[in-house]
Amino acid sequence: MDDIFHALSDRTRRAILRELAQGERTVGELAAPFPMTLAAASKHIRTLEKAGLLRREIRWRTHVCHLEPAPLRQAMDELAFYERFWTGRLDILDRLLREDDTQTSPPLAEGDAT
């Protein structure tokens, strides 16, 4: 799981994954939008590969990359705990604020508009 979150922590690698979600790409195609060398792009690709987020296939001399989405599901499952945690906390806060509003709001006088 650490490798997955490490790979996702970088903006360039997340952009590469978004590109791969559209279909297979060569290493050169993945590197093209970024101001980096092909060697730097290959390092990002190796990090994604180590995390299991992409699969590289060699066709003659061309390296073609494919998205492997299963590890993303694992990351989402891990984060779902925190989503439930914060949703529960925010629900409690909302309830407390509503209770406070009803206790501190003066009653409307006759003829007052809301």
Side-chain angles (χ1 to χ4, degrees), residues 8-109:
L8 295 173
S9 70
D10 183 83
R11 179 183 325 156
T12 300
R13 291 191 288 266
R14 290 191 307 271
I16 288 171
L17 290 176
R18 280 191 297 276
E19 186 65 26
L20 288 174
Q22 305 301 313
E24 68 180 33
R25 300 287 190 270
T26 66
V27 172
E29 290 170 334
L30 291 172
F34 305 104
M36 69 174 74
T37 64
L38 200 54
S42 290
K43 285 178 79 173
H44 284 294
I45 289 168
R46 278 193 300 277
T47 300
L48 291 166
E49 202 170 22
K50 179 182 175 196
L53 293 165
L54 72 75
R55 176 177 48 87
R56 190 183 340 201
E57 172 187 352
I58 301 173
R59 296 181 190 158
W60 294 86
R61 294 179 58 200
T62 304
H63 290 231
V64 179
C65 300
H66 305 268
L67 178 66
E68 291 292 331
L72 292 172
R73 168 49 64 195
Q74 291 175 317
M76 287 179 58
D77 291 345
E78 182 77 16
L79 292 173
F81 166 80
Y82 297 101
E83 179 184 19
R84 289 187 303 274
F85 171 82
W86 284 112
T87 299
R89 296 300 185 264
L90 291 172
D91 288 345
I92 291 168
L93 177 61
D94 182 56
R95 182 178 46 82
L96 292 171
L97 290 172
R98 288 176 192 275
E99 288 173 5
D100 187 52
D101 281 347
T102 59
Q103 292 172 3
T104 59
S105 297
L108 291 176

